[in-house]
Amino acid sequence: MGEIRYLANRDLWKHDVLGRLVAAARANAGLWLMVKERAMEMRALKSELGRSGVGARDMDHLFPTSLTPTITELTEELVSTIFGNCPPEVRSDAQTALLLAAETELDGDTNEPT
């Protein structure tokens, strides 16, 4: 996995740290595949919720099973591996960045000719 060996401060909005986290995830093919699978799972669940006309808060009740490990667990492991601990605010920002990058890549993959 790609590593961030030196980080002057842990402010995620400075020095492009979120980009580095995404790059570290992409460097680990297995981890990146799991992140993309979670992004696809979220898309499928949102689509199903839209068709059934229920709110997002009902997702856990209607779809109790999901892929494991969850995106939260994957993000926590990645951030903990790089920084040594994973505060909730860091996990949330990193999770959002990972899912956004995965969705962007998935959109790019679907637009390529086969």
Side-chain angles (χ1 to χ4, degrees):
M1 175 187 329
E3 276 185 67
I4 300 174
R5 294 180 183 256
Y6 175 76
L7 189 61
N9 67 47
R10 294 183 179 196
D11 184 358
L12 286 182
W13 298 112
K14 292 182 182 175
H15 307 294
D16 198 30
V17 174
L18 289 176
R20 291 182 185 188
L21 284 170
V22 170
R26 282 185 171 142
N28 181 328
L31 175 65
W32 189 240
L33 178 61
M34 287 190 284
V35 170
K36 287 172 46 174
E37 288 172 338
R38 297 332 173 264
M40 288 297 296
E41 178 186 38
M42 299 273 284
R43 283 184 178 185
L45 292 175
K46 286 178 184 177
S47 175
E48 189 61 32
L49 287 174
R51 277 188 257 145
S52 63
V54 296
R57 67 180 173 272
D58 297 324
M59 189 179 330
D60 290 337
H61 173 67
L62 295 173
F63 307 103
T65 60
S66 63
L67 295 172
T68 54
T70 65
I71 186 65
T72 302
E73 293 165 337
L74 291 170
T75 304
E76 193 170 281
E77 181 181 336
L78 174 66
V79 174
S80 295
T81 299
I82 294 172
F83 296 117
N85 64 4
C86 185
E89 65 277 1
V90 172
R91 183 180 58 234
S92 175
D93 292 341
Q95 181 175 318
T96 300
L98 288 171
L99 287 172
L100 181 60
E103 288 175 2
T104 301
E105 187 171 305
L106 289 168
D107 288 343
D109 288 349
T110 59
N111 292 331
E112 292 179 9
T114 55

